């Protein structure tokens, strides 16, 4: 009888331990599922946030693009009317009154100034001076906004083309664009500039009957706004093409150098950040990071010290914020509470 009781007790203990092991495994499985699900949900939420912010940014860019396009059309229209009315006071190679006026506006506002059309009266010279000064300020702003809009619209297509064999959803593509925005802007602008140069050379060879060297020379002197004037657009169809091509190519070259400078600055900044994060700390670093001079560096003090090294904040900003914190910390506890905010 005693033997049977011992046997039942042993079986029940084995059964209980087996159940405990099964329960433990089930709990571990649930924990691992929660752990694996949490990062996925966080990544998904981040992707959704980036996607919504980028889409709203594109909508805002589109609105600004339409606004600056209307402003530019108004500016070009006013200039065309001016120079059409005084067309008899402009000398040079002429084709059509309205076309020549638009062409003169474009070569003036972009500072290309071929010299194939020149004002010879006092009134024409004064109007040209006014137009070129306002054009340099206004057109540079307007067309750079337009170039930014076009570039950002093409970034997503470029990323899709570069990763066409990989599986990316829309949110991941948008995150990639946001992460390497300057790089993709530079690539798109470089490709667009190359296309404009090739198209310009081809047009000059076919329609203006230039040799290849002369066409290449004319393209280079135009997009860099040198405009020597020995080679230019002299036919009617050539000037129609020039109105659009000169605007596009000169602005594209300016944006190309702008994005090149931004890309160089961004890479230098990333190199600095990498150096700051990997270099070893010294005792002098700890002394500098110890803002409250208690011989202990807290997490907040360490982060501030590293941000200063990266050039993201400076000492003056930190001191201003610390003074603001002390002003809000009414009870001088070193922390902010609702009571501090009410008292202040």
């Amino acid at each position: 009888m005693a033997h049977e009781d011992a046997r039942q007790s042993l079986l029940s203990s084995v059964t209980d331990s087996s159940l405990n092991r099964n329960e433990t495994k089930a709990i571990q499985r649930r924990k691992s599922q929660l752990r694996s699900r949490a990062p996925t949900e966080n990544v998904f939420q981040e992707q959704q946030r980036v996607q919504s912010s980028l889409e709203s940014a594109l909508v805002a860019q589109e609105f600004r693009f339409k606004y600056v396009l209307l402003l530019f059309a108004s500016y070009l229209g006013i200039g065309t009317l001016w120079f059409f009315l005084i067309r008899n006071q402009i000398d040079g190679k002429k084709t059509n009154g309205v076309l020549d006026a638009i062409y003169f506006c474009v070569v003036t506002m972009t500072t290309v100034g071929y010299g194939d059309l020149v004002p010879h009266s006092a009134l024409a010279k004064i109007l040209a001076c006014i137009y070129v000064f306002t054009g340099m300020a206004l057109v540079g702003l307007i067309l750079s906004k337009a170039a930014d809009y076009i570039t950002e619209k093409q970034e997503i297509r470029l990323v899709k083309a570069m990763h066409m064999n990989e599986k990316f959803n829309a949110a991941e593509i948008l995150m990639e664009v946001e992460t390497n925005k300057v790089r993709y802007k530079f690539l798109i602008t470089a490709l667009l500039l190359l296309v404009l140069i090739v198209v310009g050379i081809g047009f000059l060879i076919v329609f203006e009957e230039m040799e290849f060297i002369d066409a290449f020379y004319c393209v280079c002197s135009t997009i860099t706004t040198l405009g020597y004037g020995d080679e230019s657009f002299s036919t009617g169809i050539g000037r129609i093409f020039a109105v659009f091509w000169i605007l596009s190519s000169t602005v594209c070259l300016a944006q190309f150098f702008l994005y090149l400078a931004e890309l160089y600055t961004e890479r230098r900044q990333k190199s600095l950040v990498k150096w700051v994060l990997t270099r070893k700390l010294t005792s002098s670093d700890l002394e500098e990071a110890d803002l409250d001079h208690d011989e202990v560096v807290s997490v907040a003090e360490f982060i501030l010290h590293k941000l200063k090294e990266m050039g993201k904040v400076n000492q003056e900003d930190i001191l201003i914020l610390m003074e603001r914190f002390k002003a809000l910390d009414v009870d001088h506890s070193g922390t902010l509470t609702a009571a501090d905010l009410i008292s202040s």
Side-chain angles (χ1 to χ4, degrees), residues 286-299 301-302:
L286 293 178
E287 291 177 5
E288 186 178 351
D290 186 14
L291 296 176
D292 54 5
H293 307 291
D294 60 352
E295 298 184 354
V296 176
V297 176
S298 65
V299 174
E301 289 173 331
F302 175 78

Side-chain angles (χ1 to χ4, degrees), residues 70-314:
L70 179 62
L71 187 61
F72 173 71
S74 302
Y75 176 73
L76 185 60
I78 292 171
T80 301
L81 180 61
W82 277 1
F83 295 116
F84 175 75
L85 293 176
I86 61 168
R87 60 189 179 278
N88 294 328
Q89 302 176 39
I90 297 176
D91 294 335
K93 301 174 184 177
K94 296 184 178 180
T95 57
N96 175 273
V98 176
L99 178 59
D100 289 343
I102 298 173
Y103 173 74
F104 184 77
C105 287
V106 170
V107 297
T108 301
M109 72 173 68
T110 56
T111 69
V112 170
Y114 286 125
D116 50 355
L117 291 175
V118 293
H120 69 83
S121 69
L123 176 61
K125 290 177 181 178
I126 291 171
L127 290 177
C129 290
I130 295 173
Y131 201 75
V132 71
F133 276 112
T134 54
M136 290 176 66
L138 185 62
V139 175
L141 175 64
I142 290 173
L143 294 184
S144 64
K145 290 287 185 183
D148 280 339
Y149 171 73
I150 294 170
T151 303
E152 290 189 7
K153 289 285 285 184
Q154 300 303 316
E155 281 176 2
I156 297 174
R157 294 181 182 178
L158 178 63
V159 174
K160 287 181 178 178
M162 293 176 66
H163 302 283
M164 60 187 304
N165 295 324
E166 303 174 21
K167 292 183 178 179
F168 282 108
N169 58 37
E172 289 172 336
I173 290 173
L174 289 171
M175 287 187 69
E176 171 69 14
V177 170
E178 183 67 15
T179 304
N180 299 291
K181 181 178 286 293
V182 178
R183 175 170 168 250
Y184 290 126
K185 281 187 174 182
F186 173 75
L187 290 174
I188 291 169
T189 308
L191 290 172
L192 183 58
L193 181 62
L194 180 61
V195 170
L196 287 169
I197 290 173
V198 172
V199 169
I201 292 172
F203 185 91
L204 288 170
I205 291 173
V206 174
F207 293 96
E208 294 289 338
E209 298 180 353
M210 292 185 186
E211 297 293 331
F212 174 79
I213 295 299
D214 292 334
F216 180 71
Y217 165 77
C218 182
V219 165
C220 291
S221 64
T222 300
I223 65 176
T224 56
T225 70
L226 283 172
Y228 289 121
D230 50 345
E231 299 290 350
S232 63
F233 297 87
S234 57
T235 63
I237 190 171
R239 289 186 175 177
I240 293 174
F241 172 79
V243 166
F244 301 99
W245 182 82
I246 291 174
L247 287 171
S248 304
S249 58
T250 52
V251 172
C252 188
L253 183 66
Q255 293 296 112
F256 172 79
F257 285 117
L258 174 64
Y259 294 142
L260 180 62
E262 287 185 3
L263 187 63
Y264 174 73
T265 304
E266 185 183 73
R267 288 188 175 181
R268 285 197 63 182
Q269 182 65 28
K270 286 181 179 180
S271 299
L272 176 62
V273 169
K274 184 178 179 180
W275 176 79
V276 167
L277 293 176
T278 55
R279 79 178 186 87
K280 293 183 178 180
L281 288 175
T282 62
S283 56
S284 60
D285 291 326
L286 293 178
E287 291 177 5
E288 186 178 351
D290 186 14
L291 296 176
D292 54 5
H293 307 291
D294 60 352
E295 298 184 354
V296 176
V297 176
S298 65
V299 174
E301 289 173 331
F302 175 78
I303 292 172
L304 284 174
H305 177 66
K306 288 299 181 183
L307 289 174
K308 282 169 56 183
E309 284 190 327
M310 294 175 190
K312 297 184 180 295
V313 296
N314 55 48

